[in-house]
Amino acid sequence: MDAPLRIGSVELRSRVILGTGKYASPEIMVKCHEASGTDMVTVAVRRVDLNDKSKASFLNWIDRSKLKILPNTAGCTTADDAIRAAHLGREALATNLVKLEVIGDERTLYPDLAELVAATKRLVKDGFVVMPYTSDDLVTALRLADAGAACVMPLGAPIGSGLGILNPTNIRIIIERVKVPVVVDAGVGTASDVAVAMELGADGVLLNTAVAGAKEPVAMATAVRHACEAGRLAYLAGRIPRKQVATPSSPMEGRIV
Amino acid sequence: MDVVINGQKRSLRDGMTLRDLVIELELEGKPIAVEVNREVVPKTRFAATALRDGDRLEVVSLVGGG
């Protein structure tokens, strides 16, 4: 039995963290959350539409007795805006968790690393459990951990791209060197990408589009759960070393001649 | 008095508190957070927060996201 994943004060049995965006309907989203086995889902902080008379809260679709809610700072481009969004999310949800995003480039949605480190320092001081979305750069990951981040969340590929884990070496280097948990965030296109991340030794995977945008989202959520468990088990089992030449699996002695 | 809520100008009656406004917007008890002039106001302070002419408010909630 695998130990739960600890991020700050939070304990997660599932190593899948799932988003709540881009589903065809909230009903499908709920089914995907269940099928994935996730314990934690992300949400975004946005202005209330004052002209919308329905006033139905999106949060009604999330069973907070089963799922931890992780508000993000998506769309923020400066440390100041991300800090504001984090404080608003904390007040709205009564949680000190935050997925910290500070976007530095609109086309790639790559993070602004200097602003990210600055925002992490401030939010840790303000008592947050900070989970920063970062690039697959070791030095930034080390700086974030030094700044008090509860985990680091390097991207596998650009957000929503579905390109998978583009630089497994960088992810592995981060996993080997950083003392806090490493959650691969962004880039997953299908279940095998989750397995790759987990086999590298990632502590968890955060994804959204790969499930929400799949032809059969609930089936993909199920596949992601299995891939995460398979990848984690394979990592714990310890893979054989890679070799350039063949080694027979059957004994050479006793062959008929 | 005139205030700006989520970027939109809005006229409110003088003497209104933040709690009055939240009730008027039918957002009482909803998972929202409010900034007045860039400072988050805890829900416990809504009733004690008098709004003033020219205040800039952000009223936010949660939506689906990754």
Side-chain angles (χ1 to χ4, degrees):
Chain A
M1 183 74 184
D2 196 7
L5 169 56
R6 287 191 147 277
I7 297 175
S9 52
V10 177
E11 215 170 77
L12 302 173
R13 285 161 302 125
S14 166
R15 290 168 183 269
V16 176
I17 302 173
L18 209 54
T20 58
K22 301 204 276 191
Y23 291 88
S25 72
E27 289 86 353
I28 291 175
M29 177 189 79
V30 170
K31 283 185 186 158
C32 288
H33 289 167
E34 285 169 3
S36 72
T38 188
D39 289 333
M40 180 184 264
V41 296
T42 58
V43 296
V45 175
R46 286 293 178 270
R47 283 175 166 175
V48 171
D49 180 357
L50 300 175
N51 303 316
D52 175 13
K53 291 288 161 218
S54 71
K55 310 292 181 197
S57 174
F58 169 77
L59 287 183
N60 292 341
W61 292 98
I62 299 170
D63 181 354
R64 293 189 76 176
S65 70
K66 290 184 188 150
L67 295 172
K68 293 183 176 65
I69 301 187
L70 177 61
N72 69 29
T73 64
C76 293
T77 57
T78 65
D80 280 349
D81 282 351
I83 290 162
R84 282 175 74 195
H87 279 269
L88 287 165
R90 175 160 79 177
E91 177 59 25
L93 285 165
T95 179
N96 58 0
L97 296 166
V98 64
K99 173 184 162 179
L100 182 62
E101 265 187 60
V102 189
I103 299 302
D105 178 65
E106 266 185 41
R107 195 169 155 78
T108 57
L109 297 178
Y110 282 156
D112 185 321
L113 301 177
E115 294 288 300
L116 184 67
V117 173
T120 298
K121 282 182 187 160
R122 171 63 193 277
L123 289 171
V124 168
K125 215 172 273 175
D126 292 346
F128 283 84
V129 173
V130 181
M131 302 171 63
Y133 154 74
T134 184
S135 65
D136 59 5
D137 173 66
L138 169 67
V139 178
T140 307
L142 291 169
R143 297 284 179 275
L144 290 168
D146 283 348
C151 67
V152 292
M153 304 207 291
L155 57 89
I159 294 173
S161 70
L163 290 171
I165 313 301
L166 291 181
N167 198 331
T169 305
N170 273 7
I171 299 289
R172 188 197 305 273
I173 288 169
I174 292 172
I175 290 165
E176 284 173 1
R177 292 284 303 280
V178 176
K179 299 280 195 292
V180 293
V182 176
V183 175
V184 171
D185 177 4
V188 167
T190 185
S192 56
D193 299 330
V194 173
V196 167
M198 296 308 292
E199 283 181 358
L200 287 168
D203 296 283
V205 176
L206 194 162
L207 71 162
N208 186 343
T209 310
V211 170
K215 264 187 209 152
E216 299 290 345
V218 181
M220 184 58 84
T222 309
V224 163
R225 171 163 57 86
H226 290 304
C228 185
E229 286 171 8
R232 176 68 181 169
L233 271 175
Y235 168 72
L236 294 173
R239 59 152 301 141
I240 59 165
R242 290 179 171 84
K243 286 179 296 192
Q244 296 299 325
V245 292
T247 316
S249 303
S250 308
M252 294 302 281
E253 296 80 38
R255 286 173 296 163
I256 50 168
V257 281
Chain B
M1 63 178 157
D2 290 333
V3 299
V4 176
I5 308 175
N6 292 355
Q8 291 176 24
K9 213 171 189 187
R10 208 170 170 112
S11 290
L12 304 178
R13 63 172 192 278
D14 288 341
M16 237 182 161
T17 66
L18 185 50
R19 178 159 189 271
D20 297 332
L21 175 66
V22 167
I23 291 168
E24 184 171 300
L25 294 174
E26 298 172 41
L27 293 171
E28 205 192 13
K30 295 276 172 17
I32 59 159
V34 182
E35 257 186 2
V36 179
N37 303 323
R38 293 193 160 231
E39 283 293 321
V40 175
V41 181
K43 289 188 186 76
T44 51
R45 306 243 334 125
F46 280 5
T49 302
L51 296 174
R52 293 186 179 82
D53 190 53
D55 277 349
R56 301 186 70 87
L57 287 84
E58 291 288 338
V59 182
V60 305
S61 189
L62 290 312
V63 299

